[in-house]
Structure formats: C-alpha cells, structure tokens
Amino acid sequence: MSFLAYQNEEPSGTPAQQADPRENLLDEHNTAAYRASVLQGVERVIGELTGRDRPTTGIQPEQLEPETKRIDLDSPLRDTSEALDELEKVYLRDAVHFHHPRYLAHLNCPVVIPALLAEAIGSAINSSLDTWDQSAGGTFIEQQLIDWTAGRIGLGEKADGVFTSGGTQSNLQALLLAREQALARQETNPDTGWQLSRMRILTARDSHFSIVKAAKLLGLGAESVIPVDCDEQRRMIPSALDAELDGCRDRGLIPMAVVATAGTTDFGSIDPLLEIAGSCARSGAWMHVDAAYGCGLLVSGKGPSLTGIEHADSVVVDYHKSFFQPVSSSAVLVRDRETLRHVTYHADYLNPERHAEQRIPNQVDKSIQTTRRFDALKLWLTLRTMGPDALGGLFDDVLDLAQQAWEVLHADPRFEVVTRPELSTLVFRYVPSADIDPELCDRANLHARGALYESAAAAIAETVVDGRTHLKFTLLNPRTTRDDIAEVLELVAEHAGRHLEENDTTGLEQRRAS
Ligand SMILES: *Cc1c(COP(=O)(O)O)cnc(C)c1O
C-alpha cells in the first residue's frame, strides 16, 4: 500500500522526493550521504550541548504530547534537515540533559566519547551477538569483557556471563538460573508446581523492585520474595537474614536465592556481602549480588570494598550507570558457566547442537535474548582509549562529591539527611523546625521538587523513607561541584519554605489571633 503510494506520487521536482529509496541504505554507494547525515546529527547534538544551560526546560507532558501527535508518520519529509528540525521540536529542544552538572535526579550518567563513537560504529555495522556467524570478532570482544569483569569481581576460573539490556533483565536471568538450580536439587517430588510454590527469594527491604518483578515472571507466588530487615545504614542485617533462612527451613520452604545489593538505588548502601556469603553457604541458597549501581567500585581507586562479592553465584553490573556508558550496557556474570545451560536451546537454523560440539562460540547459548546489540563494543573502546583507571577516577570524583554534599547537608540545620553515603546518593528532607506538621512538610518537599523542575534550575528526585517524603540527589557527574549542591539546596529551602509559609494554617491561626 505505502509502496504503491510512493510509486504513484507526482514527481514534484525536488531531488529528495525523486530519490531511489535504496539511497537510504548504508552501503558502498551511499557513503557520502552516510557521512553527511551523521555529521548533521552530531552538529544538532552539539547545538543542544552548547545552546542550553539547564538540565531540563520544565516542559510538561500536556505541552509536548500534541506536538508529537500532530506529526503524520505516513507523510515523510524526505529531507534529513527538515526531519531534524522536526525532531528538535518534539525531542531535542526539551530532552533531559544527563550531562548537565545540575542533573541530580536518577542513576543516569554523562557518557564518555569513546563509547559514543563505538555506538556509531556498532550500529552501522549492526552485528548481532547471538551467533558467531552474525558477529565474528564481536563475539570475542564481548567474551573478553565478560572475562575481564569476572576477573575484577574475582569469580574464578569457571566464571562466564553475557551482556544484557539492563539490570532488570540481568536480575531476571540470574534468578532464572537460581530457580533452575534449586529445582534440579528437588528430586524427591517431581511436581514442579508444588516445588515452585515453596521457592523463596530473600532480599533486603531496600532492594530493587526488579527482584519482585523477576519472581513474578519466574512463576513464583506473591509470597515468594521475603523482605529482610535493614540497619540504620539501610544495609541488610545478617542476623535477620539468618532468622528468615531458619524460618524457611522450619516451614519446609526452599530458599532458592539470597539477593544482596551492592549499592541500593536509594541509598547506595552495600549489604554485608561476606556475612551474606556465609549464610548462603550454610543454607545452600544461591547468592546473587545486584551490583547494578555499585559496579563502579570495580574500577575505583577508593570507595568502600566489595569484599565477599567474589563468593557470589551470580552478579549483575550496569555499565550504563557507573561506567559512564550509554544505555544499554549491562551484564550478568556467573561463578559456574555450567549453570548457563538453563538458557541453552538449540535451533537448527541458528545454533545447531553440532556447533557446540565444534566449539563454535554462539553467545545466544547463554542469553535470554536472541538478536542482540553489540553493546560490549562501547565498553571495549572506552577501556582501550581511556583505560579502567581513568574510568574509575571519574567514579571516584563523584564519590568525593557525595561526601562533600553530605557535609553541606549535615551542617545545615534546615535539612535532615538519612544516611552518610557509601556511594553517591543523598536522601534528605527539608525540615526547618521540629514542630512542623509532617504531612505539610511532605507536601513542601514535593513542592520544591516540582518547582525546581518547572524553573529548570535543577533536576532532583523524590523517594519515601519510613512513610515520609524525602528528596534525593543521585550524583554521577564528575563536573558537579560542591557549589552546585549548595546552590540547589538553597533553592530547595526557598521553594519549600515558601510553601510552608503559604500553607501553614497553624501559623495562620496564630497570626490571626495576635
Ligand atoms: C538500576 C537498578 C536496577 C535496574 O537496572 P536497569 O538497568 O534500570 O534495568 C537493578 N538494581 C539496582 C540496584 C539498580 O540501581
């Protein structure tokens, strides 16, 4: 239908409209168009970087949605420049700038240039990492990065793993392997449904919600994830874990996995990995470490230690969080490569069993994806250009900044700060005096976040701690300074303070009475 429409179109004379659609393909005939196109894109990005001094524009969904919907996807512009002009209106102009020093909201990092170069190369060649016959050298580059990461963790000689789309997928795959390993050990009763109903995953209350999602996807019941209590530093309490493990044993349940977090999303807290490893060894539970955020410590020169992580059965790392890589770049690693057999399926057209016998390396044998981006290339070019120490140095800068930011917050009587950060997040609350109604204080803090977004002065996050609204900085930009932090806090205090003044009805009554 659309092909016919294209054919029947009146030739209006512009070269773009008459062009053969094959001129859009990347091949040896179109190298000039390729170069010109990509350079135009680079120029647009540079225009955004240099043309805006704020992390957001304060745009609201109701403003942007009609702009996007107005565009008729069936009426192409047939001109790169015009299409990019349109893209500016619906995307580039208001996109959130993670590289801005006052973007302090979520776990998004500014990205390093070698990784961007690799994105451009990887997308152009478009290797698919599922099989050797679709990737050739890409397979070995990915494998080398997996081995390198496993080596940094200390997983040992039999370690292996695979790149994934992100921590959520990595956690799902790790827990799938854990479930299969646990099932394989339950030989006495072949009723899988009954076994699944007894499976339990133990994880700290503050762990990532992808663990609960994974449990659901794995066919485990609503009760399957047991939350373990945390200490004041928001780390899993080992004795609480042991008590829950004992409870599982007493009730005839199967503790299929313990998920420790190395860097919780809210607090950056690192669970006591060594103690947890001991508990796993005693109970036979699979030890999974979610280091989606804390993996930056693998290249850091300072920062807290991850001792104990080397005992894990599986580890998740998000290079797109603390290795300054563009989304997506993540991996799941396992101590024993044999466990990856649980995701190995053979298709005659793709990865026949014969290939395994011939030792043809097909990464699809280890992955829950089939067609898969060559995301490893970004990290490879980063390591080959910058090296791990330079990368770790960037992460060290944000660890330093987080300590400075904590000092600023801690010294300011208007703010409460929940924990002293181990990594680079700060969770705090504007509470100018102890007798303020906590609900009103919640609203004042939320208001400050919204006002900052609307004024586009900074982007910060919110969360809830013990039932109360808190604000959150996630620091991943080495260019953010102590002054940035202090000035953003001043703005928070101003906005929240004004909200309190305008809405504090007790104060109002007092003023009326006097
Ligand atoms: C971000 C995060 C995840 C999820 O990773 P995605 O890459 O966003 O899917 C899992 N665990 C922790 C601790 C995280 O911080």
Side-chain angles (χ1 to χ4, degrees):
M1 170 73 194
S2 59
F3 179 70
L4 280 179
Y6 188 84
Q7 292 287 299
N8 293 339
E9 204 143 63
E10 290 289 314
S12 76
T14 76
Q17 277 176 319
Q18 285 178 10
D20 179 343
R22 285 176 297 187
E23 286 177 13
N24 291 293
L25 296 172
L26 176 61
D27 59 25
E28 77 270 31
H29 308 291
N30 299 325
T31 54
Y34 166 53
R35 182 180 292 122
S37 258
V38 172
L39 284 178
Q40 278 193 62
V42 170
E43 290 304 331
R44 297 283 174 148
V45 173
I46 291 174
E48 287 306 316
L49 296 179
T50 53
R52 197 202 310 161
D53 62 352
R54 319 206 131 197
T56 69
T57 62
I59 192 99
Q60 297 295 334
E62 57 274 19
Q63 293 170 276
L64 212 43
E65 191 182 22
E67 287 277 334
T68 313
K69 284 199 162 160
R70 204 172 44 77
I71 291 170
D72 177 5
L73 295 177
D74 293 315
S75 311
L77 298 162
R78 298 211 180 89
D79 181 89
T80 307
S81 200
E82 278 180 46
L84 289 175
D85 287 346
E86 201 171 69
L87 187 68
E88 274 194 28
K89 286 191 209 127
V90 295
Y91 173 60
L92 288 173
R93 195 173 64 190
D94 297 289
V96 179
H97 284 187
F98 296 157
H99 58 269
H100 192 281
R102 294 198 183 177
Y103 178 82
L104 311 171
H106 302 289
L107 274 168
N108 310 109
C109 51
V111 294
V112 291
I113 294 170
L116 286 179
L117 173 57
E119 279 280 25
I121 295 173
S123 299
I125 305 291
N126 199 27
S127 297
S128 180
L129 271 275
D130 40 344
T131 52
W132 155 258
D133 73 356
Q134 298 174 80
S135 75
T139 295
F140 294 117
I141 288 181
E142 171 167 357
Q143 187 65 53
Q144 197 181 8
L145 286 166
I146 290 290
D147 295 344
W148 176 84
T149 308
R152 291 243 160 192
I153 297 170
L155 284 181
E157 287 299 301
K158 288 163 71 191
D160 201 354
V162 73
F163 273 64
T164 71
S165 66
T168 303
Q169 188 192 346
S170 297
N171 279 333
L172 172 63
Q173 179 165 352
L175 290 172
L176 169 68
L177 303 182
R179 186 194 72 181
E180 293 304 298
Q181 287 292 104
L183 270 180
R185 274 188 266 116
Q186 313 298 318
E187 292 141 349
T188 45
N189 187 331
D191 180 351
T192 308
W194 185 72
Q195 301 290 9
L196 288 181
S197 72
R198 295 162 64 227
M199 296 276 174
R200 293 295 181 271
I201 298 167
L202 297 97
T203 188
R205 283 187 194 282
D206 286 308
S207 73
H208 195 263
F209 74 157
S210 56
I211 304 302
V212 179
K213 268 197 207 182
K216 175 109 183 183
L217 286 165
L218 292 172
L220 306 179
E223 305 291 295
S224 62
V225 179
I226 300 181
V228 180
D229 286 335
C230 293
D231 64 13
E232 295 273 287
Q233 288 297 309
R234 308 276 155 176
R235 293 174 302 213
M236 190 193 286
I237 302 173
S239 59
L241 173 63
D242 286 336
E244 295 291 356
L245 284 168
D246 289 346
C248 284
R249 188 198 52 211
D250 296 346
R251 283 177 290 154
L253 302 171
I254 307 163
M256 136 198 157
V258 174
V259 179
T261 311
T264 56
T265 315
D266 264 352
F267 302 102
S269 299
I270 299 167
D271 286 336
L273 301 173
L274 206 51
E275 284 95 329
I276 292 171
S279 303
C280 288
R282 283 192 294 278
S283 63
W286 175 283
M287 178 180 177
H288 175 59
V289 179
D290 178 353
Y293 172 21
C295 60
L297 294 174
L298 297 174
V299 284
S300 159
K302 40 179 91 167
S305 131
L306 290 178
T307 302
I309 195 172
E310 67 281 6
H311 298 298
D313 293 295
S314 56
V315 178
V316 161
V317 294
D318 261 1
Y319 308 107
H320 62 217
K321 282 181 180 160
S322 44
F323 276 67
F324 304 93
Q325 299 295 297
V327 178
S328 296
S329 186
S330 174
V332 58
L333 300 121
V334 294
R335 146 177 313 287
D336 178 2
R337 66 173 69 91
E338 283 296 309
T339 59
L340 290 167
R341 74 182 180 281
H342 298 303
V343 295
T344 310
Y345 290 80
H346 292 284
D348 294 335
Y349 68 87
L350 189 69
N351 60 334
E353 276 191 270
R354 171 173 51 79
H355 282 185
E357 286 150 25
Q358 293 170 336
R359 297 186 163 270
I360 295 173
N362 291 326
Q363 298 290 88
V364 70
D365 296 353
K366 309 181 210 171
S367 175
I368 59 177
Q369 287 170 269
T370 306
T371 306
R372 196 160 51 82
R373 286 170 52 85
F374 185 14
D375 284 320
L377 181 58
K378 293 177 276 196
L379 183 58
W380 186 85
L381 204 58
T382 302
L383 291 179
R384 296 312 297 145
T385 311
M386 293 173 62
D389 295 346
L391 211 48
L394 293 177
F395 195 58
D396 288 339
D397 288 346
V398 299
L399 297 180
D400 279 343
L401 175 70
Q403 293 306 318
Q404 294 176 30
W406 180 82
E407 282 158 18
V408 174
L409 269 164
H410 188 64
D412 190 329
R414 296 170 300 175
F415 292 101
E416 283 172 9
V417 50
V418 182
T419 61
R420 183 166 189 158
E422 285 189 275
L423 294 180
S424 64
T425 62
L426 288 136
V427 179
F428 60 94
R429 177 172 159 90
Y430 175 76
V431 195
S433 72
D435 55 1
I436 292 179
D437 169 25
E439 309 265 317
L440 176 63
C441 203
D442 280 356
R443 290 194 294 275
N445 277 277
L446 267 191
H447 169 80
R449 183 193 179 205
L452 277 183
Y453 178 79
E454 268 168 44
S455 69
I460 68 173
E462 69 188 60
T463 190
V464 173
V465 183
D466 302 331
R468 297 264 73 103
T469 300
H470 282 67
L471 299 175
K472 178 173 146 188
F473 291 159
T474 306
L475 308 176
L476 277 179
N477 190 339
R479 290 216 195 266
T480 304
T481 62
R482 185 192 177 110
D483 285 349
D484 285 313
I485 300 292
E487 282 166 37
V488 173
L489 286 173
E490 247 355 280
L491 292 172
V492 169
E494 246 171 63
H495 289 300
R498 196 168 318 131
H499 186 89
L500 284 183
E501 264 169 42
E502 287 167 5
N503 296 279
D504 187 350
T505 46
T506 43
L508 205 64
E509 276 151 25
Q510 276 162 13
R511 283 198 293 279
R512 278 201 190 119
S514 61

